[in-house]
Amino acid sequence: MREDLRDERTYWAERRTEQLWRWAQAAGLSRRRFLRLLAGGGGAAALAAFGPRAAGAQSGSPAQAQPAKPQIHAKPTPSELFIHHGTNQEMRWEAMYGRGYVMPNAMFFIRNHDPSPTIDVKTWRLKVEGPGVAHPLELTYEEILRLPSQSVVRYIECAGNGRVFHKEVLGKPAKGTQWRLGAYGVAEWTGVPLKEILDRAKLKRSAVDVMPTGLDTRKIERPMSVAKALEDDTLLVYAMNGDVLPADHGFPVRVLVPGWIGIANIKWVGRLFVSEEPVFVEKNTKDYVLIGPDFPEKPPAKGPILTLQTLKSAIALPWPATLSAGKHLTRGYAWSPHGKIAKVEYSVDGGKTWAAAQLREPNLPRAGVRWEFAWDAKPGDYTVMTRATDEKGNTQPETVRWNELGYEFSAVIRHPVTVT
Ligand SMILES: Nc1nc2c(c(=O)[nH]1)N[C@H]1C(S)=C(S)[C@@H](COP(=O)(O)O)O[C@H]1N2
Ligand SMILES: [Mo]
């Protein structure tokens, strides 16, 4: 393999070039001319002119359906545990104070484009098909449960987590659910490595991408490279924190694609499509791309395609918080897609002075870590800040670049706390 396509960054760069080359070939361009155009400034945009308008258009624009369904979620979503955002439910960080390492299923955030579908496992089948497999399959739920399984602890985070800070910090609102930091959750996921399933479907050497499709109203889908699908911890998940995978989290099965953005973790999977060509759909051309003055168009996508999540930290306190004066053990989490967290620093004076918080085991890569610090709080108004650094040396920056859809907010956040 020329490049490491398990890395989401490399993957999209590679796939885009392949797509442009296909269009160029179809238009009769030579490889030389193609490479020259590609290398030139604005070359990709020029090449895109050879292709269909936007690849996402092929799948049609999303239905305008405003579901009149009373039932959006299967589990209770009380406001002590969740901040409600329509079909989405944000975990309240203060509810995680004093709990264990993983987020209980009853508290795990929900990110749904449409209401959670109800699926009958008796008739449900997983189809594994497409030109990239020699032996297409249909598996029942029972058959899947009998395949070799794995359990891993990993986080899932929505690409839009922190979006509200585009407005509150950068001063320019971004479109989409106005999450604070609660679109993140750690769980123990159990399921069948996708590799086991692809092996049984006789994955061809010519296979390029694997795309899971959801059985929700708009059949949400987004591809991954074959290399990523074959990683040990890329799973077809059927259990979450030791329970049957809950309806809101993808029952009967979802994929877990560790380190990749939330949308890669498709729920209610009905089909795994294995291609021999790059796959471009709405969720990697129009959504989940960076759009804005700092981001050039990247045909066939409207901007750079999102890759990894960003490094973040959050405080397990209400927003804004009020505390009574005295000793407090302040707690929270920090997480990075690049590996373990190396340190978390905190400031209670708005960033003038910083000290190290204590990290609490476990500290697992692609999951996160709990941190805490003792604070003897005197009455007054405070801005509490935390700054995480991961084992690869990435640190939360002071600011980030605004983008229309509000992705990749990872800057240090100023949490308002009043001590009375
Ligand atoms: N079929 C389907 N899969 C989906 C989604 C969806 O709307 N439909 N949302 C995605 C997004 S954007 C995120 S962030 C995660 C959220 O997973 P959770 O709801 O279990 O927390 O699921 C992903 N998988
Ligand atoms: Mo998401």
Side-chain angles (χ1 to χ4, degrees):
M1 199 183 308
R2 244 178 327 139
E3 298 189 78
D4 185 3
L5 297 185
R6 289 171 304 183
D7 185 316
E8 199 173 2
R9 288 165 296 196
T10 317
Y11 169 51
W12 294 118
E14 180 83 13
R15 287 293 177 271
R16 277 193 50 250
T17 308
E18 285 169 33
Q19 182 64 53
L20 293 171
W21 170 230
R22 274 163 201 282
W23 287 343
Q25 263 179 314
L29 254 69
S30 67
R31 183 79 186 166
R32 266 183 86 134
R33 174 108 193 282
F34 168 73
L35 290 174
R36 221 180 302 135
L37 269 174
L38 195 65
L47 283 162
F50 297 114
R53 266 307 297 151
Q58 293 163 356
S59 48
S61 48
Q64 293 295 306
Q66 280 302 327
K69 287 209 190 134
Q71 180 86 0
I72 297 176
H73 303 117
K75 72 181 178 187
T77 52
S79 30
E80 309 87 78
L81 300 182
F82 295 100
I83 303 167
H84 308 308
H85 304 276
T87 56
N88 304 314
Q89 297 289 340
E90 173 166 5
M91 180 190 72
R92 282 195 187 275
W93 271 108
E94 62 269 36
M96 272 310 288
Y97 187 93
R99 291 194 187 256
Y101 183 62
V102 302
M103 282 63 178
N105 294 355
M107 292 176 60
F108 207 92
F109 83 99
I110 305 173
R111 190 337 185 189
N112 274 7
H113 287 79
D114 293 306
S116 300
T118 309
I119 290 171
D120 177 2
V121 269
K122 287 196 214 74
T123 51
W124 172 87
R125 298 284 182 276
L126 175 74
K127 296 194 176 92
V128 188
E129 57 192 23
V133 292
H135 179 58
L137 288 180
E138 262 194 34
L139 296 168
T140 65
Y141 188 58
E142 292 299 321
E143 284 167 339
I144 288 170
L145 298 186
R146 284 199 295 266
L147 294 176
S149 77
Q150 254 250 58
S151 293
V152 296
V153 175
R154 298 286 184 272
Y155 77 84
I156 290 180
E157 181 184 28
C158 186
N161 200 23
R163 182 177 285 126
V164 74
F165 299 111
H166 281 80
K167 179 172 80 198
E168 292 184 8
V169 176
L170 305 180
K172 216 171 152 188
K175 277 185 249 171
T177 302
Q178 298 298 304
W179 306 106
R180 248 168 229 296
L181 290 169
Y184 157 85
V186 180
E188 185 202 54
W189 309 97
T190 300
V192 183
L194 276 196
K195 180 179 186 309
E196 296 286 344
I197 291 172
L198 294 171
D199 279 353
R200 283 166 178 75
K202 305 249 178 307
L203 187 69
K204 294 189 198 163
R205 287 189 65 93
S206 56
V208 167
D209 285 342
V210 176
M211 183 161 73
T213 303
L215 294 170
D216 38 356
T217 316
R218 279 177 282 181
K219 307 250 173 307
I220 303 298
E221 52 188 19
R222 188 176 188 263
M224 71 185 99
S225 59
V226 163
K228 183 65 184 175
L230 297 179
E231 265 206 298
D232 290 348
D233 57 356
T234 301
L235 305 182
L236 186 75
V237 166
Y238 52 72
M240 178 176 179
N241 291 325
D243 263 323
V244 172
L245 186 66
D248 294 316
H249 300 290
F251 180 81
V253 297
R254 80 177 306 163
V255 289
L256 177 75
V257 188
W260 287 34
I261 64 171
I263 185 67
N265 302 268
I266 294 293
K267 305 192 276 190
W268 314 292
V269 175
R271 180 171 93 133
L272 291 173
F273 173 76
V274 187
S275 74
E276 284 185 306
E277 293 180 11
V279 177
F280 285 100
V281 290
E282 185 182 274
K283 300 283 179 262
N284 59 0
T285 57
K286 292 182 181 158
D287 280 348
Y288 304 97
V289 299
L290 296 167
I291 300 171
D294 294 333
F295 305 100
E297 226 186 289
K298 295 272 185 182
K302 284 173 78 179
I305 303 173
L306 286 186
T307 59
L308 301 176
Q309 294 290 134
T310 51
L311 176 63
K312 292 188 190 67
S313 54
I315 306 175
L317 281 178
W319 186 294
T322 306
L323 297 175
S324 46
K327 290 206 166 94
H328 285 277
L329 191 58
T330 310
R331 291 187 172 131
Y333 272 69
W335 61 97
S336 164
H338 308 289
K340 292 185 188 190
I341 295 294
K343 70 172 174 188
V344 175
E345 297 158 289
Y346 70 93
S347 169
V348 293
D349 56 12
K352 284 197 220 76
T353 57
W354 293 86
Q358 301 223 314
L359 304 187
R360 288 280 170 247
E361 288 296 320
N363 182 359
L364 303 173
R366 291 174 174 175
V369 72
R370 288 169 296 172
W371 53 258
E372 60 191 39
F373 66 85
W375 182 25
D376 192 2
K378 307 277 182 308
D381 287 325
Y382 295 87
T383 297
V384 181
M385 298 157 79
T386 54
R387 182 170 64 202
T389 301
D390 67 24
E391 61 181 347
K392 302 276 162 58
N394 304 292
T395 298
Q396 287 186 260
E398 269 173 33
T399 189
V400 295
R401 292 181 293 179
W402 179 86
N403 61 91
E404 217 172 88
L405 302 178
Y407 298 123
E408 297 194 340
F409 198 95
S410 67
V412 169
I413 281 160
R414 307 169 72 88
H415 198 122
V417 180
T418 302
V419 180
T420 56

